[in-house]
Amino acid sequence: MQVQDIMTIYPVYIRVGADMRRAAEIISISEVSDLMVIDHDSKFVGVLSEGDLIRAILPGFDEVLRAGGTLNDAFKFFVQKGHDLVNRPIDPLIIHNAITLKSTDDIAQAAVVMIEKQIRRLPVVDDGKLMGTVSRSDICRAVIYYA
């Protein structure tokens, strides 16, 4: 069975140059942990992970200590740092050398890559164009319904 048989054909994406606020909104609404990033010609650029977005906003230990050292101080600093960064572009956070699949790849290959690299969702890219995504749950569903 090939990736094209199980992939999500309407992937959640964001365009290069979007700001962190927009990325946070899309992640929140779509409930995905990875956004596919495309350019203005709809070519695949990379992946923006929810974790990288949060880490960009999350205060460091030294920053928490300077803010007062309590969890309450840390949360206030986190909120303030997020407020200060929301209009910054996502571009520095994009994973440009993301692992991708082709629509004709075998789903077993996708499953092995996901497990070995601890990746939950992989972009499916043909000739530079984002065609869809494959998640671990897509593979589980394939096993249940097509086995």
Side-chain angles (χ1 to χ4, degrees):
M1 181 172 292
Q2 294 181 329
V3 166
Q4 65 191 351
D5 299 322
I6 65 165
M7 71 182 187
T8 300
I9 58 173
Y10 298 109
V12 179
Y13 67 88
I14 192 168
R15 293 198 188 273
V16 169
D19 61 36
M20 290 190 194
R21 177 188 307 271
R22 184 69 181 137
E25 288 171 347
I26 294 171
I27 287 170
S28 175
I29 292 167
S30 66
E31 298 182 354
V32 298
S33 57
D34 296 303
L35 295 179
M36 302 302 117
V37 182
I38 61 174
D39 66 14
H40 296 288
D41 295 323
S42 297
K43 294 289 185 177
F44 178 75
V45 173
V47 175
L48 175 65
S49 81
E50 174 186 56
D52 289 339
L53 186 63
I54 291 171
R55 276 187 288 281
I57 300 169
L58 194 64
F61 184 70
D62 292 340
E63 293 171 310
V64 171
L65 288 179
R66 283 193 304 270
T70 68
L71 287 176
N72 192 40
D73 294 330
F75 182 73
K76 287 179 186 175
F77 191 79
F78 177 72
V79 170
Q80 182 58 48
K81 192 171 179 183
H83 182 268
D84 295 343
L85 294 176
V86 294
N87 294 318
R88 289 202 181 161
I90 61 166
D91 300 13
L93 303 177
I94 297 170
I95 303 165
H96 289 279
N97 56 349
I99 297 170
T100 62
L101 298 169
K102 293 181 181 172
S103 61
T104 55
D105 286 343
D106 191 270
I107 63 169
Q109 176 186 352
V112 168
V113 169
M114 287 183 196
I115 296 303
E116 286 183 357
K117 302 290 184 179
Q118 298 182 353
I119 299 172
R120 295 175 191 242
R121 180 178 309 276
L122 285 170
V124 179
V125 179
D126 289 338
D127 298 320
K129 185 176 183 209
L130 179 63
M131 305 302 292
T133 60
V134 171
S135 69
R136 288 180 181 189
S137 62
D138 292 330
I139 292 173
C140 289
R141 197 170 15 265
V143 169
I144 292 168
Y145 293 113
Y146 299 108

